Amino acid sequence: MKVTGAQAIIKCLKEQGVEVIFGFPGGAVIDLYDELEKSDITHVLVRHEQAAVHAADAYGRVKGDVGVALVTSGPGATNTVTGIASAYMDSIPLVVFTGQVPTALIGNDAFQEVDIVGITRPCTKHNYLVKDANELVSIIREAFYIARTGRPGPVLIDLPKDVVNSKINFEEPTPIKMQTYRPTYEPHPGQIAKACKEILKAKKPVVYAGGGVIASNSNEDLTELATKLNMPVTMTLMGLGGFPGTHKLSMGMLGMHGTYYANMAVSQCDLLIAIGARFDDRVTGKIAAFAPYAKIIHVDIDPTSISKNVKVDIPIVADCKHALIAMNRWFDVQEDFKEKEQEEKTSPWIDEINDWKRKHPLGYVEEGDIIKPQYVVQKLHELTNGDAIISTEVGQNQMWAAQFYHFNLPRHFLTSGGLGVMGYGFPAAIGAQMAAPGRTIIDIAGDGSLQMNIQELATARQYKCPVKVAILNNNFLGMVRQWQELFYDKRYAATGLEVAPDFVKVAQAYGAVGLRATKVSEVVPVIKEALATDNTVFMDFVIAREEGVYPMVPAGKATTEMLLV
Amino acid sequence: MKHTISVLLQNKPGVLSRVTGLFSGRGFNIESLCVAETLDPGVSCLTLVTRGPDPIIEQITKQLHKLIDVIKVVDISESDYVEREMVLIRVKAEANTRAEVLRVIDIFRGKVVDVSPKSYAVEITGPRSKIKAVIDILKPIGIQEIVRTGTIAMARAKKF
Ligand SMILES: Cc1ncc(C[n+]2csc(CCOP(=O)(O)OP(=O)(O)O)c2C)c(N)n1
């Protein structure tokens, strides 16, 4: 069948099950937009291309599928880079289409020409410049395949205008087989047996779960393993929700702003079972002091993650789900394995952890009428029964959300973990709402970060996304201020936001709702009103200005050297 | 430790920059890099020489392998292998040194590929150690220009 390039792209999107894409038009993609308009794919017109990518990222996370963004050439393309880099660091599947000048003009410094394939090479899983229209269809199919398989990630496809306008043959899909790309899903049975034997030997095991658990949808398998073996679980920022946060074996998050008990447990454990996590520096602190007494088992689908930062004793290259199922099965068929005995074996260790939990729980100091941000997050948790989908900006807001909203389910916490992009949360909330129309979506925001993509209020309104933004307004770039307070003698260089908008009025200017709370007693009424409002809402919580995030492990220190509340 | 890594990759635009970008972006060093088509014009063979402690070399091979266009990565220095490099040297050759230069070239089984009244351009092939030796000897005589290919290498066939 002969079709135009644009028609072929739409057909490919349909074939991939794409229902919603996020984008912003321009000359180089005008033909594609013309075709898109005729299709039943919903296009969400963002107000900045960075937001299109964050929204697509969140949409994909919530749906458990590939998010899609479409932008024009030149500045449209360069505006996507932050979003792409964030998705790359967080292993989020995306396909980003960028317009490009006609092939004949490439290399001529044509109007709005930029080498976006060159620019994004280090921050995409793979990328393509479609030079030959006959390769267009196979490239799109391959791109989706690469984005969603193995360790997921963003793939960019650069579309010269003449390619989009050419007439091509559209052939029906055949199964994708790539000679050079074959991710390993199945674990090596020998390694599984080795790991399981090591687990049986351990008296003080700790499971350290990361985003891989969520990407592979293996939260239930993880819960099965942890409960079967009575092992405490700690999660990375990306792993939150991979194991129920309110479970008695949960130790919450570990690392720089992790819980006291998670960091203590890792420092004392005799076996660390890392599942879909990558030993990031925010998790390990000083490497030499990280899990110093532990043998380390590491399950990851990406071989480069294994023994990159920390030497691993038992590497298992596999999809987390396959590996967890294999481990669970190994114990199930072990005749002399008795859950009861295992429980007794690790219970002194659990007791020790519970002591730490009692000694230094997550907490904060109340200060009369002044609103504490942690209190706001606690109330958000309470009033949404803990099952809202939460996105965050970056900084203190992000850490308070991670600490105090105890995520029980995967795909409920959307944050820019690896790259730490201020401005992620609001567009992400919009993307999440497009993926889950009936659900409560809350962006827990800092006043600084929100201003990085505040223009998306228009998008939220246009697509009737009743997302709620809880601004923890300290009138500071709070996280940086906290470092200055602790390590720079309180010299607050460039962290005071001297001019700030009236967030209530900003919301109103876009036809959204703005609410404000300035004292503790107003917090709950504001949240209740926001939750009852079928419109986009900004909740401006004026919080204790110099509140800090604790515990805190100073950068480069051992994770046991925590500053506590 | 020095490692010679052989990489088979799909011969597509931008592939080389994926490889070099990987090295610069992650701070791995490249001592030399040599790339050309194989018998199959769709596949290139790239030989690179790098140096680093074992964990870094492990990362390098894994990261190379992770590139979608890479077909195969072998650290050939892990087993027995042959390596060759070619160098073109323009060396000063005036009345009093012409004979001397020719003698040196002959000892190293080199060839004169260009002659002028005041210089010879010579071609020498061999492992890096031999290339270094010839350069060291010709330097005092006067090297005017030098171009090296970088190392190419091949694992030796099993002997039994
Ligand atoms: C795009 C971007 N620029 C700069 C930073 C560095 N940074 C990290 S946290 C932070 C402060 C964020 O302030 P705010 O959004 O008000 O949140 P708070 O920490 O006060 O909760 C800054 C500037 C970043 N993460 N992202």
Side-chain angles (χ1 to χ4, degrees), chain A residues 394-397 420-422 446-449 452 474 476-480:
Chain A
V394 167
Q396 296 181 311
N397 56 85
V421 180
M422 291 173 67
D447 49 311
S449 302
M452 287 215 171
N474 49 16
F476 268 123
L477 297 172
M479 184 57 94
V480 182

Side-chain angles (χ1 to χ4, degrees), chain A residues 246-422:
Chain A
T246 54
H247 195 287
K248 62 182 197 313
L249 288 171
S250 169
M251 300 188 290
M253 187 169 73
L254 80 168
M256 181 175 273
H257 291 295
T259 62
Y260 174 78
Y261 31 99
N263 285 336
M264 290 307 290
V266 170
S267 77
Q268 298 298 315
C269 69
D270 61 1
L271 180 68
L272 187 72
I273 306 151
I275 303 181
R278 61 187 175 86
F279 297 83
D280 177 82
D281 54 276
R282 287 295 189 260
V283 160
T284 60
K286 188 163 115 197
I287 291 272
F290 182 72
Y293 311 116
K295 275 213 165 170
I296 298 179
I297 298 170
H298 188 184
V299 181
D300 206 292
I301 197 160
D302 179 359
T304 66
S305 284
I306 292 176
S307 291
K308 182 173 65 178
N309 304 333
V310 170
K311 182 98 191 77
V312 168
D313 300 293
I314 305 177
I316 300 176
V317 176
D319 181 80
C320 294
K321 187 166 185 90
H322 292 243
L324 283 164
I325 289 174
M327 284 173 163
N328 282 323
R329 198 162 299 152
W330 191 91
F331 289 109
D332 289 343
V333 300
Q334 218 57 33
E335 287 188 356
D336 47 357
F337 174 71
K338 303 268 181 320
E339 281 190 34
K340 193 92 202 100
E341 283 168 24
Q342 174 67 19
E343 193 184 324
E344 278 160 22
K345 186 161 64 189
T346 59
S347 71
W349 172 231
I350 303 290
D351 291 343
E352 204 174 332
I353 290 166
N354 286 338
D355 276 346
W356 286 322
K357 283 188 181 176
R358 270 188 295 274
K359 217 160 99 197
H360 293 290
L362 279 175
Y364 57 93
V365 182
E366 288 171 30
E367 273 180 64
D369 250 1
I370 300 171
I371 301 174
K372 287 299 181 99
Q374 302 90 337
Y375 172 80
V376 176
V377 179
Q378 280 179 335
K379 289 296 152 189
L380 286 170
H381 182 256
E382 223 173 279
L383 295 168
T384 56
N385 299 317
D387 73 4
I389 296 174
I390 303 288
S391 69
T392 75
E393 302 296 339
V394 167
Q396 296 181 311
N397 56 85
Q398 180 184 32
M399 293 300 116
W400 286 319
Q403 291 178 334
F404 289 91
Y405 200 101
H406 306 286
F407 297 91
N408 278 332
L409 291 168
R411 306 192 179 280
H412 279 58
F413 182 54
L414 315 171
T415 199
S416 172
L419 197 66
V421 180
M422 291 173 67

Side-chain angles (χ1 to χ4, degrees), chain A residues 121 127 180 302-304 306, chain B residues 17-18 59 62 66 68 71:
Chain A
R121 215 169 264 139
N127 60 15
T180 60
D302 179 359
T304 66
I306 292 176
Chain B
S17 78
R18 287 186 204 281
Q59 266 298 308
K62 284 176 173 176
K66 189 170 158 180
I68 304 277
I71 302 165

Side-chain angles (χ1 to χ4, degrees), chain B residues 2-6 47-49 74-77 81 83 151 153:
Chain B
K2 193 186 99 179
H3 287 255
T4 306
I5 297 172
S6 172
T47 309
L48 64 86
V49 178
V74 187
D75 182 350
I76 43 182
S77 41
Y81 69 106
E83 61 160 38
T151 302

